[in-house]
Amino acid sequence: MTPNVRPLVAGNWKMNGTRDSLDQIKAISEGVKGDLSEKVESLICPPATLLYVATALCEDSPLWIGAQDCHQNASGAHTGEISADMIADCFGTHVIVGHSERRTDHAETDHLVRAKAIAANAAELTAIICIGETADERKSGQTLDILKRQLAGSVPDDANAENTVIAYEPVWAIGTGLTPTSENVAEAHAFMRAELTRRFGDEGAKMRILYGGSVKPSNAKELMSVDNVDGALIGGASLKASDFLAIYNAYSEILA
Ligand code: PGA
């Protein structure tokens, strides 16, 4: 937690979900309607095919709907891509950029991720910028160097606490069931906080830094209680409304 910062619990559905899955989004949108929503924000990023119908379903809910990626250009001859404006046009509010699966599968660089974050902000979307080390980088003691380089390269110069969220996702923890220890998470998040504050001053001090990688109901409270952890980015466990809501509701204990 960071004092005076509203946590964000975000789900990344990746390439999962068809119209049948909309009942899970509906259940989440109902489940986050209580008092906790005044203190904790919630977001689901379904595949782009469900974006418009999902935002329509959530009209009367505090649940935000976002996308998983956007192109760096506003429009043009880029077959198969979607622009930040198109996401905003579907009433999406956030977009994930630089997820490790895109960095790996599509060779996305820090430079490109930064361009996507700029495009997202230009369309008035909040960019969720993902960073994190691989298993080899952690083993060889490079974790903090990698985080420093990715923050410097991926986060735009005019980032602020409104238009930008950082998601720390150790690549080796994504989809594996493995998580870093609380001490490792605390060290990484304190380091990122110091880097962001040095570069962005007050805005960096209150910019949200999420933890992601194998977050589930059983470990959410411990991970989200760590200093400078301002929420979670959840893959697999966000597909089931009951799991996502259990993680979200962990904040009723953390904030008690
Ligand atoms: P996971 O994915 O929760 O399934 O590990 C996290 C992510 O990739 O954002």
Side-chain angles (χ1 to χ4, degrees):
M1 305 270 315
T2 306
N4 303 319
V5 168
R6 245 154 81 99
L8 171 67
V9 177
N12 170 14
W13 276 20
K14 309 190 180 185
M15 200 171 72
N16 298 293
T18 54
R19 284 177 297 147
D20 287 348
S21 326
L22 291 169
D23 54 358
Q24 297 300 309
I25 292 191
K26 188 69 195 161
I28 293 170
S29 76
E30 293 297 325
V32 298
K33 275 184 179 170
D35 292 347
L36 193 58
S37 68
E38 282 161 31
K39 298 186 192 145
V40 181
E41 293 186 44
S42 55
L43 165 74
I44 292 289
C45 299
T49 47
L50 296 181
L51 201 53
Y52 184 59
V53 62
T55 58
L57 265 185
C58 298
E59 247 173 12
D60 64 344
S61 166
L63 179 69
W64 303 116
I65 297 292
Q68 302 171 12
D69 181 48
C70 67
H71 197 269
Q72 65 275 24
N73 292 353
S75 63
H78 303 289
T79 302
E81 300 285 348
I82 62 169
S83 72
D85 273 337
M86 292 170 183
I87 297 165
D89 184 50
C90 291
F91 305 108
T93 50
H94 297 65
V95 60
I96 298 168
V97 293
H99 189 281
S100 75
E101 286 150 18
R102 294 211 54 97
R103 288 180 186 260
T104 306
D105 297 357
H106 300 273
E108 293 195 0
T109 60
D110 287 330
H111 184 76
L112 178 61
V113 173
R114 177 198 287 238
K116 290 183 174 207
I118 291 170
N121 293 159
E124 297 190 358
L125 302 178
T126 298
I128 301 179
I129 302 174
C130 301
I131 62 171
E133 82 286 0
T134 63
D136 284 348
E137 288 161 349
R138 176 161 283 274
K139 270 187 217 126
S140 58
Q142 295 178 73
T143 299
L144 301 184
D145 291 339
I146 296 293
L147 297 182
K148 187 182 174 94
R149 195 191 70 211
Q150 291 184 330
L151 279 179
S154 307
V155 182
D157 288 334
D158 55 2
N160 60 46
E162 279 298 309
N163 69 14
T164 303
V165 173
I166 307 297
Y168 169 53
E169 300 206 302
V171 178
W172 52 272
I174 295 175
T176 59
L178 304 171
T179 51
T181 63
S182 297
E183 290 72 28
N184 289 158
V185 174
E187 182 193 30
H189 280 243
F191 176 80
M192 292 182 283
R193 176 69 64 214
E195 287 292 303
L196 293 170
T197 305
R198 191 173 50 75
R199 184 165 164 206
F200 299 108
D202 282 355
E203 292 297 320
K206 48 185 198 193
M207 197 175 282
R208 286 174 290 188
I209 310 177
L210 313 184
Y211 168 78
S214 297
V215 177
K216 45 190 184 237
S218 58
N219 61 20
K221 186 177 166 204
E222 182 181 345
L223 289 164
M224 298 190 308
S225 300
V226 173
D227 278 356
N228 292 300
V229 174
D230 308 309
L233 182 55
I234 309 153
S238 70
L239 293 167
K240 258 179 69 190
S242 54
D243 283 352
F244 181 86
L245 290 169
I247 295 169
Y248 169 83
N249 284 319
Y251 270 111
S252 51
E253 285 183 51
I254 296 171
L255 297 173

